[in-house]
């Protein structure tokens, strides 16, 4: 518990290197194994610092440690990929979540939509947005904004207007 708390404190101070060092210390110098809380804190620190590679590495490390990633961890990793403009990784994580029977949260869809929009992958962004509706998920303002931005990039003004109209109804 104390390692997880210390890692979480690193998020607030922006010390992602220190957070990863604490996680490494937990794994190498103690008899304790990191749990989902420790990994969640570490991935969250990486997400806050836009360290997408480290976030993905942590998710992979969790598998080797037989710690199952949950929706919160995966969503934070998708968000880290969005901040790093890594649309392929964000989309891969979103797909992986669905394959592992984890129901992605709106924040994961929003981040993946935004990553695609930022990467000028407007069709993928709109596909993610449409998949939310198929799953009876309600997009938030951030998701709508990312989808509308994708339409702007793709010069799809009619779709942008449709999205805007859907917000107002």
């Amino acid at each position: 518990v104390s390692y997880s708390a210390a890692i979480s404190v690193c998020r607030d101070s922006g010390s992602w290197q220190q957070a990863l060092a604490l996680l490494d210390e937990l794994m190498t110098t103690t008899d304790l194994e990191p749990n989902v809380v420790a990994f969640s804190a570490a991935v969250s620190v990486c997400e806050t610092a836009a360290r997408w590679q480290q976030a993905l590495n942590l998710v992979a490390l969790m598998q080797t440690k037989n710690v199952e990633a949950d929706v919160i961890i995966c969503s934070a990793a998708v968000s880290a990929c969005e901040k790093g403009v890594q649309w392929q990784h964000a989309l891969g994580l979103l797909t992986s979540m669905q394959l592992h029977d984890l129901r992605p949260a709106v924040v994961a869809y929003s981040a993946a939509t935004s990553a695609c929009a930022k990467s000028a992958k407007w069709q993928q962004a709109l596909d993610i947005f449409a998949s939310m509706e198929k799953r009876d998920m309600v997009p938030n303002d951030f998701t709508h904004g990312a989808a509308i931005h994708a339409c702007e990039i793709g010069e799809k003004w009619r779709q942008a207007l449709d999205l805007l109209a859907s917000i107002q109804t």
Side-chain angles (χ1 to χ4, degrees):
V1 173
S2 58
Y3 272 94
S4 298
I7 293 169
S8 291
V9 169
C10 293
R11 179 185 63 229
D12 299 331
S13 66
S15 302
W16 65 270
Q17 299 99 328
Q18 184 63 41
L20 296 183
L22 285 168
L23 185 65
D24 185 60
E25 181 180 313
L26 172 62
M27 291 185 292
T28 58
T29 64
T30 70
D31 292 333
L32 303 172
E33 286 292 323
N35 60 15
V36 70
V37 176
F39 276 112
S40 181
V43 172
S44 180
V45 171
C46 292
E47 181 264 332
T48 300
R51 304 303 298 188
W52 65 271
Q53 291 170 314
Q54 288 78 6
L56 293 178
N57 289 342
L58 288 170
V59 171
L61 179 61
M62 288 179 72
Q63 292 175 338
T64 66
K65 296 288 185 182
N66 293 319
V67 178
E68 284 193 43
D70 61 14
V71 172
I72 295 168
I73 291 169
C74 292
S75 295
V78 172
S79 184
C81 291
E82 181 264 333
K83 289 178 180 177
V85 193
Q86 298 295 315
W87 72 273
Q88 292 165 315
H89 291 297
L91 199 53
L93 279 167
L94 195 64
T95 301
S96 179
M97 288 173 74
Q98 294 164 345
L99 292 174
H100 289 95
D101 293 327
L102 292 175
R103 184 170 185 204
V106 171
V107 67
Y109 281 103
S110 298
T113 302
S114 179
C116 291
K118 288 178 179 180
S119 301
K121 300 297 181 185
W122 63 269
Q123 186 61 58
Q124 288 85 345
L126 295 179
D127 288 347
I128 294 167
F129 187 86
S131 74
M132 287 182 72
E133 292 178 338
K134 290 177 188 171
R135 291 179 172 81
D136 294 326
M137 298 193 74
V138 179
N140 61 20
D141 290 344
F142 184 78
T143 317
H144 277 102
I148 290 169
H149 179 63
C151 291
E152 175 189 1
I153 290 169
E155 298 179 1
K156 302 297 178 187
W157 62 271
R158 286 184 197 254
Q159 286 96 327
L161 291 175
D162 290 344
L163 287 168
L164 191 57
S166 74
I167 296 171
Q168 297 170 347
T169 57

